[in-house]
Amino acid sequence: MNAENSAVTAQALSQRIALTTRKLTLAYDGASVISDLDLAIPAGKITVLVGSNGCGKSTLLRGLARLLKPRHGTVYLDSASIFKLSTKEVAKRLGILPQGPVAPEGLTVRELVAQGRYPHQNWLQQWSKEDEWMVEQALSITDMIELADRSLDTLSGGQRQRAWIAMSLSQNTDILLLDEPTTFLDLAHQIEVLDLLYDLNQTQGRTIVMVLHDLNQACRYADCLVAIAQGQVVAQGEPAQIMTEALVREVFGLESRIIQDPVAGTPLCIPVGRRR
Amino acid sequence: MNHWITVRSRQISFRIDRRVPIVLVVLGLITLAIVLLSLGQGEYPISPIDVLKTLLKIETDNADYDFIIHTLRLPRALIAFLVGVGFAISGAILQGITRNPLAAPDIIGINAGASVVAVSFIVLFPSVPGFVLPIAAFAGAFVAAILIYLLAWDGGSSPIRLILIGVGIAAFTNAVISVMLTFGQINSVSQAWIWITGSVYGRSWEHLLPLLPWLIVLIPLALLLSRDLNVLHLGDDVARGVGSRVEWQRVLLLITSVALTGASVATAGTVGFVGLMAPHLARQLVGTAYEGLLPTAALMGGMITVLADLLGRTLFAPTELPCGVITATIGAPYFLYLLYQNRHQ
């Protein structure tokens, strides 16, 4: 997919673009994982990156969040290259929740959530009224107020993930990137976290970009689905428009039937195994 | 809000865990009590009341008290306290940047770097004047730290590599020290040995003065960097995500930590395990936020060292044990206990 195409697709979804990549090449230890990628992420929408293990979707997310320096090309936040802006400036506009973050022993939820205020503080102003208010807001949105003084290691996986999301929320950025926010959670907690993110998008208009493992959850929650295989974008668009049996075959190497999700009306992928 | 005490004016604002002030006051009072006891102890015992009177420049019956306390004993007690403070803050910082509760200047080879240089001077060049020793020790700590950082660098510094390389450097330098102690002259070896163990014996005002500027600069710097330590503790990706310049912060913090250790080692030798124990005990008292943890660990480290010096002088009096022997006797089992706890989580 070339630059014009992806821009056109994104424009069809929304007038505004939050993040753009131009000829982005990302590499780990010499081996390039993403090469020459042009991608536009629509503002105010939920974009979900899907693909098989090792296809480069997490790498791409880290690249979008400037956690990984590209070998070539760049990422644009609005119109400025993300690497030309100060990292603190970026952190006021873009938050990232990496996969499986680990908190130090004994850290309380409230203390963790307060760390999201880092980019808004300086040596003199370390705890403004706004900081305090944002932390309380983040705790309340994620329904963590009652657990705020508990230490993270005493919480369940779902509660812990909500605490980390609360930290990202207190950062108060227009764009929120999340790498597999539902891993290690049971099904009920997965839906709980996804509903929370959906509400954030709906009520506050935040741009959400996340990597999800589960294709059907991706179809249900995404406004814009980005299918990645071998470091390239294979398809991008509304799930209902791009999800086909051919796409699943190309991206996951899996035969499947696509039917309509009886609950959400979005595409539902039923895998076909070799035996049953 | 009752979890944090918030201080806010137009120019500045900060918050601190509500447990911090009370803990600092209690630790301060205990330390003061130990210092008063310590100043009264020795060949020439003085009652705590007379010690207090002398300190406050109130007349006492004995004119010698002034000399004994102000010239002989006070600088020693103050040095014990201040090197304890230095080791403790240094250890707390290292535990933060390596995200490992077992990291401390003596574990990751910074003390060993200082020791190997100091011991070389004592054993190989006994004629070198005394004032060179602290400078050499300080330099040794820095060379060790730079070596650890460079060897651990692989397109970025990773906490676990810093620790493993540090432990390796410590093992190697300790081997070199053993060789020198084995083949050195008996007199210089015993002098070197006391230095390695860490002792504040015979320290006077002239030893205290060179230590002060370091602490006056580095302690406020460490406190200013506590916010950065807090986010570094959450992992490199999270820290970068909230806008921390991770590599730069880590280098700055490492330099602060090494300079604190270097200055302390240069003054009193390698008083072991204070940098490990003090931050730990402090964390139990006030939690993990560095704004409160650093000052609490500092007081805790000072208290431990002053107490160790007092015990070292009284337990087997008139024989005097270096305070480093006491801290190691308590510290080594404590370290094993932490290892054990770490494994069983």
Side-chain angles (χ1 to χ4, degrees):
Chain A
M1 177 171 283
N2 62 35
E4 283 93 306
N5 262 347
S6 81
V8 169
T9 325
Q11 226 135 36
L13 289 159
S14 156
Q15 295 305 305
R16 293 179 306 125
I17 304 295
L19 282 167
T20 320
T21 72
R22 283 272 176 272
K23 300 242 170 269
L24 183 70
T25 299
L26 298 167
Y28 278 120
D29 297 328
S32 67
V33 182
I34 296 282
S35 37
D36 276 338
L37 181 75
D38 292 318
L39 179 71
I41 306 277
K45 304 282 178 187
I46 298 182
T47 300
V48 179
L49 312 179
V50 293
S52 59
N53 291 336
C55 72
K57 54 191 190 301
S58 287
T59 308
L60 174 58
L61 197 80
R62 297 189 73 225
L64 289 174
R66 53 95 173 76
L67 297 184
L68 198 62
K69 275 231 165 74
R71 183 186 285 173
H72 306 294
T74 188
V75 176
Y76 293 95
L77 179 59
D78 290 336
S79 53
S81 166
I82 206 166
F83 298 97
K84 297 248 165 68
L85 299 166
S86 84
T87 180
K88 220 171 163 178
E89 210 46 58
V90 175
K92 287 179 187 169
R93 291 152 71 181
L94 179 152
I96 165 95
L97 184 57
Q99 194 180 349
V102 183
E105 205 189 325
L107 187 77
T108 64
V109 173
R110 192 185 299 276
E111 195 65 56
L112 174 71
V113 176
Q115 303 311 319
R117 299 304 299 164
Y118 182 87
H120 303 278
Q121 300 165 334
N122 56 49
W123 279 9
L124 293 178
Q125 288 292 349
Q126 303 201 350
W127 193 236
S128 66
K129 277 221 173 77
E130 196 192 338
D131 291 335
E132 190 171 324
W133 192 78
M134 282 292 170
V135 168
E136 287 306 307
Q137 275 302 101
L139 286 169
S140 127
I141 292 170
T142 50
D143 203 15
M144 290 299 285
I145 290 195
E146 305 213 325
L147 299 171
D149 294 307
R150 292 264 297 272
S151 109
L152 251 78
D153 31 79
T154 66
L155 301 182
S156 75
Q159 293 167 334
R160 212 174 296 160
Q161 191 63 353
R162 282 199 338 246
W164 280 100
I165 292 174
M167 188 203 96
S168 305
L169 291 183
S170 79
Q171 203 175 328
N172 195 28
T173 56
D174 288 338
I175 306 172
L176 188 53
L177 311 185
L178 305 101
D179 193 356
E180 299 207 20
T182 56
T183 26
F184 306 126
L185 300 185
D186 61 38
L187 194 55
H189 286 123
Q190 290 178 21
I191 298 301
E192 180 187 315
V193 165
L194 291 172
D195 277 344
L196 168 63
L197 294 171
Y198 181 77
D199 288 344
L200 283 172
N201 166 258
Q202 291 293 307
T203 56
Q204 309 184 350
R206 298 202 205 212
T207 305
I208 290 178
V209 186
M210 58 183 158
V211 170
L212 285 182
H213 228 84
D214 187 310
L215 197 53
N216 293 327
Q217 287 177 358
C219 286
R220 189 182 274 199
Y221 287 92
D223 298 306
C224 170
L225 194 67
V226 180
I228 298 167
Q230 278 127 36
Q232 289 296 328
V233 171
V234 179
Q236 178 183 13
E238 274 180 63
Q241 286 173 4
I242 66 163
M243 267 297 280
T244 60
E245 288 156 13
L247 181 72
V248 176
R249 195 178 306 126
E250 188 180 354
V251 173
F252 293 94
L254 179 76
E255 288 304 320
S256 66
R257 299 284 169 274
I258 306 288
I259 59 170
Q260 199 184 47
D261 183 333
V263 176
T266 49
L268 187 69
C269 170
I270 310 288
V272 179
R274 271 192 302 125
R275 301 201 182 272
R276 23 192 334 176
Chain B
M1 211 188 299
N2 52 4
H3 338 270
W4 292 321
I5 295 169
T6 304
V7 177
R8 227 173 250 148
S9 77
R10 199 169 303 159
Q11 281 82 30
I12 64 161
S13 63
F14 66 92
R15 72 187 157 84
I16 202 152
D17 192 287
R18 80 189 132 113
R19 289 167 291 183
V20 172
I22 180 84
V23 166
L24 288 183
V25 167
V26 171
L27 280 179
L29 288 176
I30 297 175
T31 310
L32 202 64
I34 299 172
V35 168
L36 289 184
L37 269 179
S38 179
L39 292 178
Q41 279 297 331
E43 251 177 274
Y44 201 116
I46 305 173
S47 76
I49 307 232
D50 282 341
V51 170
L52 199 59
K53 276 185 176 170
T54 314
L55 283 178
L56 299 173
K57 303 273 182 202
I58 299 169
E59 281 293 310
T60 49
D61 319 332
N62 194 323
D64 292 339
Y65 285 178
D66 190 58
F67 174 78
I68 293 171
I69 286 178
H70 280 115
T71 310
L72 297 181
R73 293 184 187 166
L74 185 60
R76 173 178 182 153
L78 283 179
I79 282 181
F81 177 76
L82 291 176
V83 299
V85 167
F87 282 125
I89 296 183
S90 176
I93 292 176
L94 280 182
Q95 289 173 9
I97 58 180
T98 59
R99 289 196 285 284
N100 192 316
L102 301 176
D106 26 0
I107 312 286
I108 76 158
I110 295 172
N111 281 9
S115 296
V116 78
V117 178
V119 170
S120 321
F121 270 99
I122 298 171
V123 174
L124 302 178
F125 312 102
S127 56
V128 165
F131 72 88
V132 177
L133 199 60
I135 302 169
F138 193 87
F142 258 92
V143 170
I146 292 169
L147 211 59
I148 293 165
Y149 194 80
L150 290 181
L151 286 173
W153 184 270
D154 179 18
S157 64
S158 98
I160 189 72
R161 276 200 303 269
L162 283 177
I163 292 184
L164 290 177
I165 302 260
V167 169
I169 296 257
F172 175 75
T173 38
N174 283 327
V176 174
I177 293 169
S178 298
V179 169
M180 280 192 285
L181 293 181
T182 313
F183 295 107
Q185 291 289 323
I186 188 71
N187 280 340
S188 45
V189 164
S190 71
Q191 196 201 337
W193 193 242
I194 288 176
W195 192 90
I196 293 174
T197 321
S199 164
V200 287
Y201 176 77
R203 294 296 186 276
S204 60
W205 293 108
E206 63 190 276
H207 298 102
L208 179 70
L209 289 179
L211 176 63
L212 278 181
W214 292 102
L215 297 181
I216 290 170
V217 172
L218 294 172
I219 293 176
L221 180 64
L223 287 174
L224 278 176
L225 290 171
S226 47
R227 255 175 1 102
D228 307 297
L229 269 169
N230 285 337
V231 295
L232 277 179
H233 218 152
L234 300 176
D236 286 5
D237 275 358
V238 175
R240 280 199 190 96
V242 295
S244 159
R245 287 175 295 162
V246 170
E247 290 300 345
W248 158 243
Q249 301 282 12
R250 192 146 50 213
V251 167
L252 192 60
L253 283 159
L254 190 62
I255 291 173
T256 312
S257 168
V258 172
L260 279 167
T261 290
S264 303
V265 169
T267 312
T270 56
V271 183
F273 292 101
V274 177
L276 179 81
M277 285 188 286
H280 251 278
L281 296 169
R283 214 169 279 130
Q284 313 262 316
L285 293 176
V286 298
T288 50
Y290 277 90
E291 293 91 343
L293 180 64
L294 287 179
T296 310
L299 265 186
M300 184 68 84
M303 187 189 88
I304 290 174
T305 317
V306 171
L307 183 63
D309 183 45
L310 174 64
L311 290 177
R313 284 188 295 138
T314 49
L315 279 184
F316 300 100
T319 308
E320 198 172 295
L321 293 178
C323 62
V325 169
I326 308 289
T327 58
T329 314
I330 311 165
Y334 191 77
F335 181 63
L336 291 176
Y337 160 74
L338 289 177
L339 270 178
Y340 177 82
Q341 249 202 343
N342 235 32
R343 267 190 52 189
H344 289 261
Q345 259 165 20

